[in-house]
Amino acid sequence: MTGLLVVTAVPVEAEAVRAGLAACAAAGSGGQGVTVAPVGVGPGAAGAATARLLALAEAAGRPYRAVLSAGIGGGFPGRVEVGGTVLASRSIAADLGAESPDGFIPLDELGMPLDQLGGGILVDADPVLLGTLRQALPAAAVGTVLTVGTVTGTADSTRLLAERHPDAVAEAMEGYAVGVAATQAGLPFAELRTISNPIGPRDRGNWRMREAFAALTAAATALGPVLGPGW
């Protein structure tokens, strides 16, 4: 079996992860046996591309052992700082459902039949993989990471999301879909995010992309020794 598959949305995120793993390899402290691949922005692209990578590896007789969704994201103010690192206890499809006069109704409350292979609105992080990540990144905030198709950009939307998901620490656009692909392949899954901006009204002046990418490289450096071929 091959090791861990790390998927990111865009190439620059993949490059940040690879830089951290390369630093480990150069120091002789691990970093080998991890495949890093950008799979596209948004749930559709990320889920489809991850599923394809997993299927191709399995067909070649070298299936992956686990899947990690990694990249940058927005953090809930007061719950995680810009530049901080987040580990998902679970990844939720936050906008999968229906609007109503009484507010948002999540998919699992609409009476739709949901299968047991990631067909609901959330994917729990694998406890063993999450425990490994937490041990390597003890300062990381741990909580729900929301997957959205549209980045939250107003104070009202931020407030409503925070009320619906009181344990949410961040939002991004791929984690849940990657988790579904991993779950349907029978593989452990986890999600890691570093925070580039506070969730809320769009203010590019408050975005810290460079710091978030640096934090992503630092996280990969810390994870290199524990995420080798054993995963």
Side-chain angles (χ1 to χ4, degrees), residues 16 22 24 28 43 48 57 63 69 79 89 125 142 148-149 171 184 197 201 212 214-215 222 230:
C24 290
S69 176
R79 300 181 183 178
S89 56
V142 180
V148 295
E171 76 169 17
Q184 293 192 350
N197 59 279

Side-chain angles (χ1 to χ4, degrees), residues 87-116:
L87 296 172
S89 56
R90 57 183 184 171
S91 302
I92 290 183
D95 52 10
L96 186 59
E99 291 185 330
S100 80
D102 296 322
F104 180 80
I105 305 173
L107 188 67
D108 57 351
E109 294 180 13
L110 289 174
M112 296 183 180
L114 305 177
D115 64 45
Q116 300 302 310

Side-chain angles (χ1 to χ4, degrees), residues 11-219:
V12 66
E13 293 170 321
E15 291 165 6
V17 174
R18 290 182 186 127
L21 297 175
C24 290
S29 59
Q32 300 93 348
V34 179
T35 299
V36 184
V39 293
V41 176
T50 300
R52 181 175 184 272
L53 289 173
L54 297 178
L56 288 173
E58 185 173 1
R62 303 182 67 236
Y64 291 103
R65 293 179 180 270
V67 182
L68 176 66
S69 176
I72 66 174
F76 280 92
R79 300 181 183 178
V80 61
E81 298 295 326
V82 172
T85 299
V86 163
L87 296 172
S89 56
R90 57 183 184 171
S91 302
I92 290 183
D95 52 10
L96 186 59
E99 291 185 330
S100 80
D102 296 322
F104 180 80
I105 305 173
L107 188 67
D108 57 351
E109 294 180 13
L110 289 174
M112 296 183 180
L114 305 177
D115 64 45
Q116 300 302 310
L117 293 174
I121 64 166
L122 66 89
V123 178
D124 289 316
D126 177 79
V128 176
L129 179 54
L130 178 58
T132 300
L133 300 178
R134 293 186 69 171
Q135 185 173 6
L137 299 168
V142 180
T144 296
V145 175
L146 307 181
T147 298
V148 295
T150 301
V151 173
T152 304
T154 69
D156 284 345
S157 295
T158 302
R159 175 182 56 80
L160 290 172
L161 271 183
E163 290 175 353
R164 282 170 43 210
H165 303 284
D167 61 344
V169 289
E171 76 169 17
M173 303 182 77
E174 296 83 25
Y176 166 78
V178 173
V180 170
T183 299
Q184 293 192 350
L187 297 177
F189 161 77
E191 182 176 4
L192 179 152
R193 296 286 168 182
T194 55
I195 304 305
S196 59
N197 59 279
I199 296 171
R202 291 176 62 81
D203 181 359
R204 294 301 294 266
N206 286 331
W207 287 26
R208 299 291 181 267
M209 305 291 284
R210 182 176 300 176
E211 289 88 337
F213 287 126
L216 192 56
T217 296

